[in-house]
Every structure is written in C-alpha cells, then in structure tokens.
C-alpha cells in the first residue's frame, strides 16, 4: 500500500494531479490511447469537456452527435443542433439525456446507476440563454467542469484558537467511505446557485437551519483543479475530472452543534488546528476536501510563506487555470 502524503503540497497535488499539459494538444504529445476527445457544443469551438477514448468507444451514440474518427486530430464529439438554431439548448439537453439514458439502460457504466441517477449538473460556459444539463452520474464520463460548494464551520476558544467541525463520511458510501470531509459539502445542481447548495446541504447533512446559514455563512472564493479519476471517485480510473469548488466559512458560537441527519455522515468532531493538521498529513481527508481545508488554513494565516516552504506552489495549485470555459465570454 502506498504511504500517505507527507506534506501539504503532496495533498494539493493528489487533488490537482492531471499533467500540466495543453490538453487540447495532447495528440502531438501522448500515445493514441490517451488522446482525449473534446466535447463541442453547437456554434462553439471551445471544448466543454474531455472524454477518454474508452468512454467514447462504449457510449451508444445517436444521430444527434458527430464523433470523429480515432485518427482525427483533434478528436471531437460534436453535439449537433437538431433544432436548426431554433431551440439549441433544448436540442443539446435532449441529445445528452438520450445517450446517457441508453447507456444506463444497457448497464454500460456502473457509475450511471449508483450516483444520484436523476440529478443534473450544468455544463458551465455554454453560450445559450438556457442551461445545458448533463446527468450528474455522467459528468465524469464527459469530463465537464463539475461545480461544488464546501463550507467550513468553526468556532473559537476564549483564547481565540480555531476549533473546526469535521465530519467523517459513512462507511457505506460508494465514494471515499470513512474519509474526513468538509463540514458541509455537495455538488451544485443545474438550477441552483452555490449558496443555495450550501443551504440545503447544511440542513440535510448537518441539521443546520437555513436562517442560521443564510445569516452567518460567508463566501470566500473558489478553488479549482484537474485530476485523473481514481477508484474512490466512483468512476473508472483515468478519466479527466475538472473541479470548481466554491468555498464558504461560517463562524458560530459553542452552542451550534452539527448533527447528522441523512445517512452520509457518520459523526462530527470538533477539532483544533493541530489535530486537523495531523489527520491531513496521515491522508485521512477525502482528496478535494484536503485542498479545501488547506485553502482555509491559507486564508486564515495558519499556513503562511514564513512557515511553509511550498507556500507559493500550494496557492498556485489551489487555483489552476481550467481547460474548459466557465463563462460564456
């Protein structure tokens, strides 16, 4: 068994672990089996996702898509506009839902049946008035940018020391069972904002009432990364996953105690900074939650350029430039 990471930079690299290459140019640098297909939307030359060739080979493509030959450079999966410009977003959504539904019915990918099969993510950056949707369970297969929201809830002792609420994921979960997590976290659904995600996840996961969260939760930016999926992710290994995590802090007094409400959290612990540092460096945190906690430490002056030799690389790697658009411009 591989030894756990030993430094904060190791932890950030474990999350942001996809090679720093020009992904759209990989045909000139990678062997053919590793050349990803670009996901193209109608009238937009920017890739909105990157599909591994093994996924492209297995998906039951319909006439609503044009898939380039394996020898083509670049390799592309083009969504076609069956509406001839009249209802482009609707045409894209119907095409994507159809191919994912056919794959799920055929049992082509186990991930399509075990990860919230009816929930949608949005494809960020699409240049249409309406949202482009993709089943959450298929987001990893298509390599789109997945939006998440994470909140760190903390209190302070009389001496001003941080105490942070840290949950442990339930042992029965399909993804990262038993790992430590952010206080509250979830994927941002297609029709909600990151803050709305925090509101409902805080209730579902931690029994925190919406008025409390609306009053005290503060937006603190975002972290970004690109990674190759691993066994813990619920997808086949080697797929390209792009992550955008909106981060929030919520300072509370000692009377506010999170309690598990759904079956995703085993328990909450109120830990000091040193105890969390030790758990981080033992590799006990879910991969992207380790990066969220390190970002919290950076923002609150716990990790600084004076006490961390890899400070600048850590800060840079927490905010990676993404290979897919996040806005329409």
């Amino acid at each position: 068994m591989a030894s756990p990471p030993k430094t904060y930079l190791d932890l950030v690299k474990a999350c942001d672990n996809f090679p720093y290459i020009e992904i759209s140019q990989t045909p000139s640098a990678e062997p053919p089996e590793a050349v990803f297909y670009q996901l193209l939307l109608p009238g937009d030359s920017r890739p909105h996702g990157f599909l591994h060739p093994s996924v492209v080979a297995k998906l039951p493509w319909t006439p609503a898509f044009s898939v380039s030959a394996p020898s083509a450079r670049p390799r592309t999966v083009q969504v076609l506009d069956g509406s001839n410009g009249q209802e482009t977003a609707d045409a894209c959504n119907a095409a994507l839902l159809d191919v994912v539904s056919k794959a799920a019915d055929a049992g082509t990918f186990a991930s399509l049946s075990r990860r919230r099969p009816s929930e949608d993510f949005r494809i960020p950056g699409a240049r249409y008035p309406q949202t482009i949707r993709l089943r959450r369970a298929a987001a990893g297969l298509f390599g789109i940018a997945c939006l998440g929201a994470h909140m760190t809830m903390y209190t302070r002792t009389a001496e001003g020391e941080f105490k942070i609420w840290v949950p442990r994921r339930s042992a029965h979960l399909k993804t990262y069972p038993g790992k430590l997590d952010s206080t509250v976290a979830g994927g941002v659904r297609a029709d909600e904002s990151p803050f709305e995600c925090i509101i409902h996840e805080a209730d579902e996961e931690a029994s925190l009432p919406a008025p409390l969260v609306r009053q005290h939760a503060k937006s603190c930016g975002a972290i970004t990364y690109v990674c190759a999926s691993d066994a813990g992710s619920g997808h086949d290994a080697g797929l390209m996953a792009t992550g955008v995590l909106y981060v929030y802090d919520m300072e509370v007094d000692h009377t506010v105690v999170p309690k598990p409400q759904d079956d995703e959290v085993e328990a909450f612990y109120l830990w000091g900074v040193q105890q969390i540092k030790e758990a981080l460096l033992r590799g006990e945190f879910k991969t992207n939650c380790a990066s969220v906690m390190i970002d919290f430490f950076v923002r609150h002056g716990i990790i600084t350029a004076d006490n961390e030799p890899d400070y600048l690389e850590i800060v840079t790697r927490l905010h990676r430039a993404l290979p897919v658009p996040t806005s329409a411009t």
Side-chain angles (χ1 to χ4, degrees), residues 164-173 175-184 205-206 258-271 275-276 278-280 282-286 289:
I164 299 171
W165 284 104
V166 178
R168 187 174 298 280
R169 295 167 65 83
S170 295
H172 70 83
L173 293 178
T175 58
Y176 306 102
K179 289 287 191 179
L180 300 175
D181 209 323
S182 303
T183 314
V184 170
E205 295 182 351
K259 298 178 178 65
Q261 180 160 289
D262 59 21
D263 61 354
E264 295 188 5
V265 176
E266 179 181 298
F268 284 94
Y269 312 115
L270 185 60
W271 284 353
Q275 195 168 3
I276 292 174
E278 293 170 359
L280 279 167
R282 286 194 301 266
E284 291 190 32
F285 274 79
K286 179 174 175 279
C289 297

Side-chain angles (χ1 to χ4, degrees), residues 122 124-125 145-152 182 184-189 192-198 218-225 243-249 288 292 295 299 318 322 326-327:
R122 77 170 67 93
C146 295
L147 309 182
H150 287 229
M151 184 176 76
T152 302
S182 303
V184 170
V188 179
R189 300 170 185 166
E192 69 180 357
S193 71
F195 190 57
E196 288 168 340
C197 173
I198 290 294
K218 307 298 182 186
S219 175
C220 298
I223 68 171
T224 55
Y225 59 88
V244 177
L245 303 183
Y246 296 90
V247 293
Y248 295 81
D249 290 351
N288 62 359
V292 170
D295 175 70
R299 291 186 289 101
L318 287 171
L322 299 179
T326 54
S327 70

Side-chain angles (χ1 to χ4, degrees), residues 200-217:
H200 74 73
E201 292 289 350
D203 173 48
E204 295 167 11
E205 295 182 351
S207 306
L208 296 171
L212 175 78
V213 179
R214 290 189 186 279
Q215 181 177 355
H216 294 288

Side-chain angles (χ1 to χ4, degrees), residues 1-227:
M1 179 180 294
S3 60
K6 294 294 193 282
T7 69
Y8 295 126
L9 182 57
D10 288 333
L11 290 165
V12 172
K13 285 182 175 180
C15 179
D16 181 42
N17 66 9
F18 201 87
Y20 270 61
I21 56 177
E22 181 59 47
I23 298 170
S24 63
Q25 301 299 321
T26 51
S28 63
E30 298 289 333
E33 63 272 13
V35 179
F36 285 74
Y37 285 72
Q38 300 178 27
L39 176 66
L40 302 178
L41 299 178
D44 192 345
S45 61
R46 304 170 301 162
H48 286 265
F50 288 89
L51 295 85
H52 195 280
S54 65
V55 172
V56 173
K58 294 177 184 177
L59 279 171
W61 299 109
T62 70
F65 296 87
S66 176
V67 181
S68 68
S71 59
R73 296 295 185 269
R75 290 173 168 175
T76 59
V77 172
Q78 173 71 63
V79 185
L80 303 177
D81 183 4
S83 75
N84 294 318
Q86 300 302 306
E87 300 289 346
T88 302
D90 289 344
C92 290
N93 289 333
L96 290 165
L97 178 61
D98 189 28
V99 71
V100 171
S101 298
K102 284 180 165 60
D105 292 344
T108 307
F109 300 97
S111 60
L112 293 181
S113 61
R114 65 174 179 236
R115 189 173 177 83
R116 304 186 185 186
S118 63
E119 187 174 300
D120 285 342
F121 276 175
R122 77 170 67 93
I123 298 181
R127 291 171 169 166
Y128 316 115
Q130 296 83 21
T131 299
I132 303 298
R133 302 166 171 271
L134 182 67
R135 288 293 195 229
R136 174 177 182 164
L141 300 175
F142 283 77
I144 67 167
C146 295
L147 309 182
H150 287 229
M151 184 176 76
T152 302
M153 189 172 86
Y154 65 96
T155 187
R156 297 179 195 259
T157 66
E159 295 73 30
E161 297 177 354
F162 283 99
K163 292 283 188 176
I164 299 171
W165 284 104
V166 178
R168 187 174 298 280
R169 295 167 65 83
S170 295
H172 70 83
L173 293 178
K174 298 294 185 182
T175 58
Y176 306 102
K179 289 287 191 179
L180 300 175
D181 209 323
S182 303
T183 314
V184 170
V188 179
R189 300 170 185 166
D191 292 322
E192 69 180 357
S193 71
F195 190 57
E196 288 168 340
C197 173
I198 290 294
I199 296 294
H200 74 73
E201 292 289 350
D203 173 48
E204 295 167 11
E205 295 182 351
S207 306
L208 296 171
L212 175 78
V213 179
R214 290 189 186 279
Q215 181 177 355
H216 294 288
K218 307 298 182 186
S219 175
C220 298
I223 68 171
T224 55
Y225 59 88
V226 182
C227 66

